[in-house]
Amino acid sequence: MSSLQKRSWVEQVMGLPISVLARGPVASTTAADIAVQAVYRELREVDGTFSTYRPDSEVSRLARGELGWEEASSVVREVADRCRRARELTGGLFDAETPAGGWDPSGLVKGWAAERASRLLAEVDGADWCLNAGGDVVVICPSGEPFTVGIQDPADSGAVVATVRSSGNAVATSGTAARGAHLYDPRSGGAVVGSWASVSVTGPSLEWADVLATAAFVADDEWPRVVSLLPGYAGLGVHVDGTVRAMPTWPSVTPRDAG
């Protein structure tokens, strides 16, 4: 499929670059562009609802007590339910309840929103798609020809430590490379400072890959156990010393893999 048309788009949404790549005979058509613009509109709407940085978002209004849960929109209540399920699955390693007593669903929203918006791309016949939301990737390949997704080196933003050839699975990464020690351990309430610089997870759902990557990073050396909480998911960790460890089910090979 390398000779087929390709087109890419990128916009800043949710405070990060979100890129879309179309590949196939309709990649440069108006239909493809319309679908992509619909994706960006939906993601901007999600950001307007869930951003913790925007004072007018529902999440911010809930935090200030200006909005009660009984008044929250159905989509906010749906995400709250998803966050509760994620907390139960991970034994509290993923928790939208913050140490200060607030509610921050950011660890789930990005993957959930990107996966939900990608359905708009799937409606366009004759194209394969790769949507990358700041390193969280959804792939749609009706042709069966996989995309190659790179796993960024936490120590070098211009390098990759591994690749995944995907014709349908999602990929999510959690770590400190982009935003420093921004993740907290719900068990202690403190910042996560562990032995691993990043944990990447691949599997059928970006929402759950994102949740598992976050919880696995919090779990530190126990991250493979956390990734295994759901069938069909595999993980790869990059140690702070640069060593790469892939689970046996990880669908790629990297020369730095230490097993």
Side-chain angles (χ1 to χ4, degrees), residues 149-154 160-164 171-175 196-203 209 212-213 216-217 220 223-224 227-228 233-239 242-259:
V149 179
I151 305 300
Q152 186 181 73
D153 187 338
V160 298
V161 296
T163 60
V164 180
V171 183
T173 297
S174 184
W196 298 86
S198 70
V199 176
S200 298
V201 175
T202 183
L212 290 175
F217 186 75
D220 199 29
W223 67 262
V227 175
S228 300
Y233 291 80
L236 178 142
V238 183
H239 198 272
T243 302
V244 178
R245 176 186 175 189
M247 293 173 62
T249 49
W250 182 262
S252 70
V253 177
T254 170
R256 284 169 52 181
D257 186 6

Side-chain angles (χ1 to χ4, degrees), residues 92-145:
L93 291 170
F94 177 97
D95 196 345
E97 301 292 334
T98 68
W103 185 66
D104 182 358
S106 302
L108 181 139
V109 163
K110 183 173 68 164
W112 164 80
E115 182 174 1
R116 189 177 77 152
S118 70
R119 77 187 190 282
L120 299 168
L121 304 176
E123 294 173 0
V124 180
D125 292 331
D128 294 338
W129 299 94
C130 181
L131 187 158
N132 186 332
D136 289 353
V137 179
V138 178
V139 170
I140 302 169
C141 285
S143 73
E145 178 71 19

Side-chain angles (χ1 to χ4, degrees), residues 1-22:
M1 183 170 283
S2 59
S3 63
L4 291 179
Q5 293 183 4
K6 296 180 182 178
R7 184 180 177 187
S8 61
W9 299 255
V10 62
E11 291 192 16
Q12 288 284 132
V13 187
M14 302 180 178
L16 49 87
I18 296 183
S19 64
V20 180
L21 172 63

